[in-house]
Amino acid sequence: MKRLALAVLAFFALGAIAQGDTALDETRVTLRAHILRLINRDRAIYGLAPVQLDPVMSKLADDYCRTQIRNGTTGHFTIDGLAPYMRYSFAGVDDGVSENAAAWSANYRFSDRALFEMARRSEDAMMAEAAPHDGHKKTILDPHATHVGIGLAWDRGEFRLVHEFVRRYVEWTRPLPREASLNDRVIVRGRPMRGQIDAISVHFEPEPQPMPARVANAIATYALPTRRKDYLPRMKDDVLRSADGSTQFIRRRYGDGSRGDIYVADDGAFSFTVPFTEGPGVYTVVTWIRATGDTKPIAASNVSIRVEGRDYVGTR
């Protein structure tokens, strides 16, 4: 999504600054609730269901906002070079996540009134976007989002705000590890909460490299790498029974002759062995779920795995 970088206008009234941990925490809680109301207000205008606040994602998002201020970065990257899907995956998130980010700067400390006004203006600016440059708006209006983490940080005239929209559609019975080696047999198992599995995509990219803040700030968008391989549910055999009582099994195949790679049980639970075909690097696994009644599948995971060439000696 395109970065939203905004400057604080000088005419904001300088009200009382919240002092001390208790007051700051209270401001954070009420500000987060305010932003959630704005998001769900705009979703309701377009006939979309509200999203629920995700406390765990919000805490992770808070940490990212603090890191941005500490490192002098804005947008979706900081100096570690990690894209948002890697950052949250490596923090333990198994679901699909899409990020919006806003940054404000001023030469004075922010009042509570200024914080609430910046949050409102950030939401309004995102919703005012027009195609084709409407990435923030599309993220807010994702019809498949179920939850949102709202990250906030402010210090020394810097304010950072991020939305982390979550698609929670899978109950993971065997989540993926975040580190592995090329000779590991890595298996994921899960069960769609609604609908059925449609496909799994495995994206590959080299290990990200640290970058200076000026380089991170120049990256306006992010996306999964285009280097990918797609895998389909394994075809089940057709069973034909003739009038004489004999049985014939017909092996079904896809158009390319393959039978598929994802094992799917009768109750919809699936199992998949992730192939590391591109050598060492980062493999991001996207699980596509076709919800009941939908015509298109939903990207329900962005799980990244760091894969090394040597044997992996960590724990699972």
Side-chain angles (χ1 to χ4, degrees):
M1 300 304 145
K2 189 175 179 181
R3 184 180 70 249
L4 182 66
L6 304 170
V8 176
L9 300 180
F11 60 73
F12 284 151
L14 300 181
I17 302 292
Q19 300 290 343
D21 290 341
T22 302
L24 286 172
D25 289 343
E26 182 178 347
T27 298
R28 184 180 303 279
V29 169
T30 56
L31 182 57
R32 207 183 323 265
H34 172 65
I35 295 167
L36 181 64
R37 284 193 296 271
L38 294 175
I39 289 171
N40 283 330
R41 173 204 66 186
D42 291 332
R43 290 177 63 87
I45 291 172
Y46 285 82
L48 299 175
V51 288
Q52 300 178 44
L53 183 68
D54 187 318
V56 173
M57 281 298 299
S58 294
K59 184 181 184 304
L60 293 173
D62 283 347
D63 292 341
Y64 175 59
C65 289
R66 294 188 189 101
T67 300
Q68 281 193 311
I69 292 177
R70 183 171 63 250
N71 293 333
T73 55
T74 61
H76 303 295
F77 291 82
T78 185
I79 59 175
D80 58 7
L82 298 184
Y85 55 86
M86 288 189 200
R87 185 189 326 124
Y88 289 105
S89 177
F90 293 155
V93 177
D94 292 305
D95 304 302
V97 181
S98 298
E99 178 176 272
N100 281 340
W104 294 72
S105 298
N107 57 5
Y108 53 81
R109 297 175 69 194
F110 296 125
S111 67
D112 285 358
R113 177 179 174 183
L115 292 171
F116 278 77
E117 182 67 7
M118 286 185 292
R120 182 192 65 78
R121 293 187 64 184
S122 296
E123 179 78 12
D124 290 348
M126 293 177 185
M127 290 302 299
E129 292 173 344
H133 306 295
D134 57 347
H136 297 98
K137 182 178 181 179
K138 285 181 177 178
T139 300
I140 293 170
L141 300 180
D142 178 0
H144 305 296
T146 58
H147 296 73
V148 65
I150 299 172
L152 299 161
W154 58 95
D155 188 30
R156 302 187 305 276
E158 295 293 330
F159 176 65
R160 299 292 184 271
L161 161 66
V162 295
H163 305 151
E164 306 298 343
F165 283 89
V166 179
R167 293 173 166 186
R168 188 157 294 150
Y169 282 80
V170 178
E171 176 187 354
W172 303 100
T173 53
R174 181 170 177 170
L176 287 166
R178 273 31 177 197
E179 293 181 309
S181 67
L182 287 175
N183 59 350
D184 280 338
R185 187 168 185 262
V186 172
I187 300 173
V188 62
R189 293 193 181 102
R191 180 180 290 102
M193 296 177 185
R194 59 191 75 87
Q196 61 187 12
I197 189 164
D198 192 84
I200 290 177
S201 301
V202 180
H203 300 250
F204 174 81
E205 60 195 297
E207 179 72 26
Q209 300 300 312
M211 63 181 74
R214 59 177 175 78
V215 174
N217 293 343
I219 304 174
T221 61
Y222 77 93
L224 287 168
T226 57
R227 192 169 170 183
R228 63 183 273 185
K229 293 184 178 180
D230 298 326
Y231 302 89
L232 300 174
R234 191 164 180 81
M235 286 283 195
K236 295 182 178 180
D237 294 338
D238 286 331
V239 180
L240 299 180
R241 291 184 174 83
S242 60
D244 61 5
S246 62
T247 301
Q248 182 181 8
F249 294 91
I250 299 177
R251 291 203 163 191
R252 300 176 61 197
R253 298 182 183 273
Y254 290 101
D256 62 357
S258 67
R259 300 203 67 205
D261 301 276
I262 307 168
Y263 289 87
V264 183
D266 291 340
D267 65 354
F270 62 88
S271 176
F272 176 68
T273 302
V274 182
F276 302 136
T277 60
E278 306 296 330
V282 177
Y283 292 76
T284 299
V285 180
V286 179
T287 304
W288 296 88
I289 300 297
R290 191 180 298 272
T292 304
D294 284 354
T295 58
K296 295 182 179 180
I298 301 161
S301 74
N302 305 133
V303 179
S304 297
I305 310 170
R306 278 190 168 110
V307 177
E308 298 181 350
R310 59 181 175 80
D311 288 344
Y312 177 62
V313 296
T315 59
R316 293 287 166 81

PDB file of all heavy atoms in Angstrom, residues 88 132 138 214 236 249 293 299:
ATOM      1  N   TYR A  88       5.375  -9.374  10.584  1.00  0.00           N
ATOM      2  CA  TYR A  88       4.341  -9.944  11.449  1.00  0.00           C
ATOM      3  C   TYR A  88       4.397 -11.463  11.466  1.00  0.00           C
ATOM      4  O   TYR A  88       4.089 -12.094  12.484  1.00  0.00           O
ATOM      5  CB  TYR A  88       2.972  -9.414  11.041  1.00  0.00           C
ATOM      6  CG  TYR A  88       2.845  -7.963  11.407  1.00  0.00           C
ATOM      7  CD1 TYR A  88       2.909  -6.963  10.448  1.00  0.00           C
ATOM      8  CD2 TYR A  88       2.734  -7.578  12.743  1.00  0.00           C
ATOM      9  CE1 TYR A  88       2.852  -5.622  10.802  1.00  0.00           C
ATOM     10  CE2 TYR A  88       2.676  -6.248  13.102  1.00  0.00           C
ATOM     11  CZ  TYR A  88       2.736  -5.273  12.126  1.00  0.00           C
ATOM     12  OH  TYR A  88       2.693  -3.956  12.485  1.00  0.00           O
ATOM     13  N   PRO A 132      -6.251   4.972  -9.768  1.00  0.00           N
ATOM     14  CA  PRO A 132      -5.678   3.702  -9.301  1.00  0.00           C
ATOM     15  C   PRO A 132      -4.810   3.839  -8.041  1.00  0.00           C
ATOM     16  O   PRO A 132      -4.220   2.867  -7.608  1.00  0.00           O
ATOM     17  CB  PRO A 132      -4.821   3.277 -10.494  1.00  0.00           C
ATOM     18  CG  PRO A 132      -4.324   4.572 -11.060  1.00  0.00           C
ATOM     19  CD  PRO A 132      -5.459   5.557 -10.881  1.00  0.00           C
ATOM     20  N   LYS A 138      -8.679   0.732  -0.345  1.00  0.00           N
ATOM     21  CA  LYS A 138      -9.020  -0.659  -0.614  1.00  0.00           C
ATOM     22  C   LYS A 138      -8.732  -1.543   0.597  1.00  0.00           C
ATOM     23  O   LYS A 138      -9.479  -2.491   0.875  1.00  0.00           O
ATOM     24  CB  LYS A 138      -8.233  -1.165  -1.829  1.00  0.00           C
ATOM     25  CG  LYS A 138      -8.752  -0.643  -3.157  1.00  0.00           C
ATOM     26  CD  LYS A 138      -7.932  -1.207  -4.301  1.00  0.00           C
ATOM     27  CE  LYS A 138      -8.475  -0.752  -5.646  1.00  0.00           C
ATOM     28  NZ  LYS A 138      -7.633  -1.260  -6.773  1.00  0.00           N
ATOM     29  N   ARG A 214      16.872   6.547   4.861  1.00  0.00           N
ATOM     30  CA  ARG A 214      16.470   7.286   3.655  1.00  0.00           C
ATOM     31  C   ARG A 214      16.015   6.326   2.551  1.00  0.00           C
ATOM     32  O   ARG A 214      15.114   6.651   1.774  1.00  0.00           O
ATOM     33  CB  ARG A 214      17.616   8.165   3.167  1.00  0.00           C
ATOM     34  CG  ARG A 214      18.879   7.415   2.826  1.00  0.00           C
ATOM     35  CD  ARG A 214      19.982   8.309   2.284  1.00  0.00           C
ATOM     36  NE  ARG A 214      21.213   7.580   2.066  1.00  0.00           N
ATOM     37  CZ  ARG A 214      21.427   6.795   1.021  1.00  0.00           C
ATOM     38  NH1 ARG A 214      20.488   6.663   0.087  1.00  0.00           N
ATOM     39  NH2 ARG A 214      22.572   6.154   0.880  1.00  0.00           N
ATOM     40  N   LYS A 236      -9.246 -36.505  -6.073  1.00  0.00           N
ATOM     41  CA  LYS A 236      -9.716 -37.780  -5.555  1.00  0.00           C
ATOM     42  C   LYS A 236     -10.160 -38.675  -6.709  1.00  0.00           C
ATOM     43  O   LYS A 236     -10.668 -38.186  -7.726  1.00  0.00           O
ATOM     44  CB  LYS A 236     -10.870 -37.565  -4.573  1.00  0.00           C
ATOM     45  CG  LYS A 236     -10.453 -36.817  -3.310  1.00  0.00           C
ATOM     46  CD  LYS A 236     -11.611 -36.677  -2.338  1.00  0.00           C
ATOM     47  CE  LYS A 236     -11.164 -35.977  -1.073  1.00  0.00           C
ATOM     48  NZ  LYS A 236     -12.275 -35.819  -0.094  1.00  0.00           N
ATOM     49  N   PHE A 249     -11.806 -47.771 -10.598  1.00  0.00           N
ATOM     50  CA  PHE A 249     -11.275 -46.518 -10.069  1.00  0.00           C
ATOM     51  C   PHE A 249     -10.673 -45.698 -11.214  1.00  0.00           C
ATOM     52  O   PHE A 249      -9.852 -46.218 -11.989  1.00  0.00           O
ATOM     53  CB  PHE A 249     -10.203 -46.779  -9.014  1.00  0.00           C
ATOM     54  CG  PHE A 249     -10.733 -47.429  -7.764  1.00  0.00           C
ATOM     55  CD1 PHE A 249     -10.770 -48.812  -7.642  1.00  0.00           C
ATOM     56  CD2 PHE A 249     -11.223 -46.651  -6.725  1.00  0.00           C
ATOM     57  CE1 PHE A 249     -11.272 -49.415  -6.495  1.00  0.00           C
ATOM     58  CE2 PHE A 249     -11.730 -47.243  -5.573  1.00  0.00           C
ATOM     59  CZ  PHE A 249     -11.751 -48.625  -5.464  1.00  0.00           C
ATOM     60  N   GLY A 293     -20.041 -19.331  -0.653  1.00  0.00           N
ATOM     61  CA  GLY A 293     -20.788 -18.305  -1.380  1.00  0.00           C
ATOM     62  C   GLY A 293     -19.934 -17.351  -2.177  1.00  0.00           C
ATOM     63  O   GLY A 293     -20.457 -16.579  -2.995  1.00  0.00           O
ATOM     64  N   ALA A 299      -6.885 -14.674   0.203  1.00  0.00           N
ATOM     65  CA  ALA A 299      -5.530 -14.919   0.709  1.00  0.00           C
ATOM     66  C   ALA A 299      -5.579 -14.907   2.231  1.00  0.00           C
ATOM     67  O   ALA A 299      -5.686 -13.865   2.864  1.00  0.00           O
ATOM     68  CB  ALA A 299      -4.571 -13.860   0.195  1.00  0.00           C
TER      69      ALA A 299
END
